[in-house]
């Protein structure tokens, strides 16, 4: 589940690529005094993720931007939607917006047999804990969590990614439902790395660190209802770590249903 907020710039502004901590603050402000408020200080994945205000470009007064917030918890999204509707000033650091409209969305990877492509809308954070270095054959000369980089190969990336989603499934799905590690088959058919990059991130007020992130394109074919739920959960809570800072937000960019072919549409009848 998602909410889509249409925004308009209240003044000319340069796009701030370090928006994460500031936007996170507004999300938690919207959740104050709700049952989700206590999650703020818990050391566990949070049940929400959000996009950047896009398109990510410098703006003139009146320019339009869009923000998406996703969660498996409908009531959490209701709190955020109510806050954005009640208080229509959305100030993300030096980027002041007016919230013009908030509406619901329900993206779905599709019924079993559907194939498609998912792309990361924001950078994806995967860190490898030091106690797994030997398992992955990594030669790392420190004892801190290591940011995933291409030289570490795909295995630790895929393993850590799916373990992270497994943890979110245990937290936010009913106990009787099978998680990603309980079923056979991979989460995605293919993993295409688009790029890796490093940015300064302020995880908490007053402390800035440089994090290594990556952007990906994942192909999928929905095997069954369990797999569909796992992929939809990834749409709702994000992939990888620190989703409450906006990392790991993903979108469906292409989809073919079982009763369709890739030639349907404008190319179906040449």
């Amino acid at each position: 589940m998602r909410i889509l907020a249409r925004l308009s710039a209240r003044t000319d502004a340069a796009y701030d690529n370090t928006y994460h901590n500031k936007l996170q603050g507004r999300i938690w402000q919207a959740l104050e005094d709700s049952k989700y408020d206590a999650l703020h200080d818990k050391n566990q994945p949070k049940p929400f993720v959000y996009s950047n205000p896009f398109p990510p470009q410098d703006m003139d007064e009146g320019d339009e931007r869009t923000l998406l917030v996703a969660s498996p918890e409908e009531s959490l999204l209701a709190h955020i939607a109510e806050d954005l509707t009640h208080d229509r000033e959305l100030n993300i650091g030096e980027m002041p917006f007016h919230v013009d409209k908030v509406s619901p969305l329900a993206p779905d990877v599709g019924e079993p047999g559907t194939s498609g492509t998912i792309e990361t809308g924001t950078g994806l954070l995967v860190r490898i804990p030091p106690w797994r270095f030997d398992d992955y054959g990594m030669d790392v000369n420190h004892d801190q969590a290591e940011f995933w980089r291409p030289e570490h190969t795909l295995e630790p990336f895929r393993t850590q990614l799916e373990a992270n989603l497994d943890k979110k499934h245990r937290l936010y799905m009913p106990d009787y439902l099978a998680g990603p590690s309980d079923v056979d088959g991979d989460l995605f058919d293919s993993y295409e790395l688009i790029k890796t990059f490093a940015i300064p991130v302020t995880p908490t007020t007053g402390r800035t660190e440089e994090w290594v992130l990556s952007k990906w394109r994942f192909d999928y074919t929905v095997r069954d209802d369990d797999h569909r739920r796992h992929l939809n959960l990834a749409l709702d809570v994000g992939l990888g770590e620190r989703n409450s800072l906006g990392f790991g937000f993903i979108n469906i960019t292409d989809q073919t249903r079982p009763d369709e072919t890739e030639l349907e549409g404008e190319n179906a009848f040449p």
Side-chain angles (χ1 to χ4, degrees):
M1 294 168 280
R2 297 182 172 191
I3 56 172
L4 181 151
R6 298 290 188 193
L7 315 174
S8 56
R10 292 193 291 110
T11 186
D12 299 355
Y15 195 86
D16 182 1
N17 287 304
T18 61
Y19 64 88
H20 307 87
N21 185 265
K22 298 153 190 168
L23 182 51
Q24 176 186 237
R26 177 58 186 272
I27 299 294
W28 282 118
Q29 175 190 321
L31 297 174
E32 279 183 2
D33 300 325
S34 76
K35 66 178 182 180
Y36 303 102
D37 196 1
L39 290 175
H40 181 276
D41 296 323
K42 285 192 174 182
N43 183 25
Q44 66 180 52
K46 308 300 189 287
F48 64 86
V49 66
Y50 46 86
S51 72
N52 56 337
F54 61 91
Q57 302 167 350
D58 295 349
M59 61 203 83
D60 297 327
E61 181 179 354
D63 280 357
E64 295 179 348
R65 294 292 184 270
T66 301
L67 174 69
L68 291 162
V69 185
S71 175
E73 303 276 342
E74 186 174 358
S75 60
L76 182 149
L77 292 176
H79 280 291
I80 296 172
E82 182 180 3
D83 182 82
L84 293 177
T85 304
H86 177 73
D87 179 3
R88 290 182 178 268
E89 283 194 15
L90 175 58
N91 300 315
I92 308 173
E94 300 301 317
M95 299 189 292
F97 295 105
H98 179 268
V99 180
D100 298 328
K101 183 180 180 181
V102 179
S103 54
L105 289 175
D108 189 325
V109 295
E111 62 189 280
T114 302
S115 60
T117 301
I118 284 174
E119 293 190 23
T120 51
T122 56
L124 200 159
L125 173 67
V126 170
R127 289 176 294 190
I128 303 160
W131 56 88
R132 298 302 305 272
F133 291 169
D134 289 343
D135 297 340
Y136 298 133
M138 294 169 52
D139 183 17
V140 179
N141 59 358
H142 61 75
D143 58 0
Q144 306 295 316
E146 170 76 356
F147 292 100
W148 182 87
R149 295 174 171 84
E151 57 264 35
H152 298 321
T153 75
L154 186 59
E155 182 197 357
F157 176 86
R158 185 165 56 189
T159 302
Q160 295 300 131
L161 194 77
E162 295 189 5
N164 177 274
L165 187 63
D166 208 50
K167 185 174 185 179
K168 293 167 183 169
H169 192 280
R170 289 195 298 273
L171 286 168
Y172 301 115
M173 291 288 113
D175 292 341
Y176 62 86
L177 294 175
S181 66
D182 299 319
V183 301
D184 295 329
D186 294 328
L187 189 62
F188 298 114
D189 297 339
S190 64
Y191 293 68
E192 180 185 349
L193 175 64
I194 299 173
K195 67 176 181 178
T196 56
F197 58 102
I199 62 170
V201 177
T202 305
T204 58
T205 303
R207 190 176 89 241
T208 299
E209 302 172 357
E210 185 172 271
W211 288 6
V212 178
L213 309 169
S214 53
K215 287 198 172 185
W216 293 79
R217 187 176 294 115
F218 307 111
D219 290 331
Y220 69 88
T221 304
V222 181
R223 293 188 301 274
D224 50 31
D225 289 339
D226 285 332
H227 190 213
R228 181 182 190 176
R229 183 178 63 258
H230 302 157
L231 292 170
N232 281 336
L233 177 64
L235 289 172
D236 289 343
V237 295
L239 288 170
E241 303 175 57
R242 304 308 294 265
N243 309 120
S244 63
L245 277 169
F247 298 114
F249 184 85
I250 58 176
N251 282 309
I252 301 170
T253 58
D254 184 58
Q255 192 175 69
T256 303
R257 299 182 186 283
D259 58 347
E260 298 174 334
T261 72
E262 294 181 355
L263 292 179
E264 289 192 0
E266 61 180 5
N267 296 320
F269 305 103

